[in-house]
Amino acid sequence: EAYQNEDPSLGNELLKSMIVHYDFLTNEEEKSIFNEIEPYLKRMRYQFDHWDDAIHGYRETERLQWNKDNKKVIDRVRSLVFPPSVAQLNHVHILDLDKKGYIKPHIDAVRFCGDTIAGLSLLTDSVMRLVHDKHTHLYADVLLKQRSLYIMNGSARYDYKHEILSNEHSKFDGKVVFKDRRVSVICRNEPRPEDRD
Ligand code: AKG
């Protein structure tokens, strides 16, 4: 709706650059990935009180090695998202948001990652809001269902801030979306050469 009186290319660009695959993971795959990372996450404490952090109520880690079954799933994400010519970050980013946690609007630093961000959502549904960085009245809410994969690139990645709404504000299409603890498993590619230094 917000796009009604705008240049239609803005809305089209967003639709093309933020794609969600529902039921990307089976229940078993979700459990298996969770079981591999939970022992590491459990040892850490959720961070709540850094006022300048983009994320509130989180703990995070990175993973390089996966067991055989989970490696297959991660490879399935990588091969769907990245053509063979694209240099990927080897580490997978694991972000664990407490039930009370949320991600404030931000654009991922171009120095640290490239044009594509692909994230699996484990344990809960949540709502991601994309707000145009320059035309802030333009925004879109995206339902990130449990076990879905989102692929954000191009315009959605560079022109929009993204956030994960807190439980208090978590609504989609007028309906409350209960956001419980959320673990995301995120694959990225190398920064563009012009952004590296
Ligand atoms: C980020 O790492 O920049 C995020 O916003 C993570 C989004 C997610 O948890 O899927």
Side-chain angles (χ1 to χ4, degrees):
E1 265 169 49
Y3 287 84
Q4 252 165 22
N5 300 318
E6 302 292 330
D7 175 355
S9 68
L10 280 176
N12 290 340
E13 282 298 313
L14 181 60
L15 283 176
K16 273 195 295 184
S17 58
M18 178 68 188
I19 291 169
V20 186
H21 295 266
Y22 289 128
D23 292 314
F24 187 85
L25 299 175
T26 63
N27 284 305
E28 291 70 33
E29 289 169 338
E30 178 191 31
K31 261 192 219 118
S32 170
I33 292 179
F34 179 71
N35 288 340
E36 187 169 356
I37 55 190
E38 174 66 347
Y40 296 89
L41 294 172
K42 249 187 353 203
R43 286 192 228 138
M44 289 179 265
R45 236 185 266 172
Y46 287 110
Q47 306 289 317
F48 276 98
D49 31 22
H50 299 278
W51 62 270
D52 56 343
D53 269 356
I55 315 179
H56 182 81
Y58 74 104
R59 48 195 183 183
E60 66 186 338
T61 183
E62 287 188 320
R63 212 161 167 80
L64 199 51
Q65 307 287 349
W66 296 89
N67 72 36
K68 198 160 137 273
D69 288 341
N70 292 340
K71 184 172 183 318
K72 272 192 212 154
V73 177
I74 300 299
D75 285 346
R76 186 149 59 89
V77 173
R78 291 189 185 279
S79 61
L80 174 71
V81 175
F82 300 107
S85 60
V86 168
Q88 302 176 35
L89 300 185
N90 294 323
H91 285 89
V92 177
H93 179 196
I94 314 287
L95 181 65
D96 180 351
L97 266 189
D98 182 72
K99 179 177 166 182
K100 294 201 192 80
Y102 55 92
I103 302 180
K104 299 174 197 170
H106 70 283
I107 296 177
D108 288 21
V110 296
R111 258 192 313 141
F112 300 117
C113 77
D115 65 354
T116 305
I117 301 162
L120 294 165
S121 297
L122 274 51
L123 308 185
T124 185
D125 295 348
S126 64
V127 179
M128 180 180 277
R129 175 165 293 170
L130 296 162
V131 182
H132 199 289
D133 195 30
K134 298 208 174 69
H135 313 283
T136 53
H137 62 293
L138 294 180
Y139 74 94
D141 287 343
V142 181
L143 180 61
L144 298 182
K145 292 193 101 167
Q146 185 176 358
R147 292 182 296 278
S148 67
L149 170 73
Y150 69 82
I151 306 169
M152 180 191 296
N153 67 21
S155 178
R157 186 258 185 269
Y158 291 112
D159 304 334
Y160 288 77
K161 288 185 172 164
H162 58 275
E163 62 188 294
I164 296 282
L165 301 180
S166 69
N167 218 351
E168 208 180 318
H169 299 106
S170 188
K171 273 196 191 141
F172 184 80
D173 236 354
K175 291 191 200 83
V176 169
V177 174
F178 176 72
K179 188 195 82 58
D180 209 330
R181 175 185 173 194
R182 173 174 185 272
V183 171
S184 51
V185 174
I186 306 160
C187 297
R188 297 184 166 93
N189 58 346
E190 294 274 1
R192 299 182 292 198
E194 67 266 34
D195 291 330
R196 248 169 239 165
D197 31 51

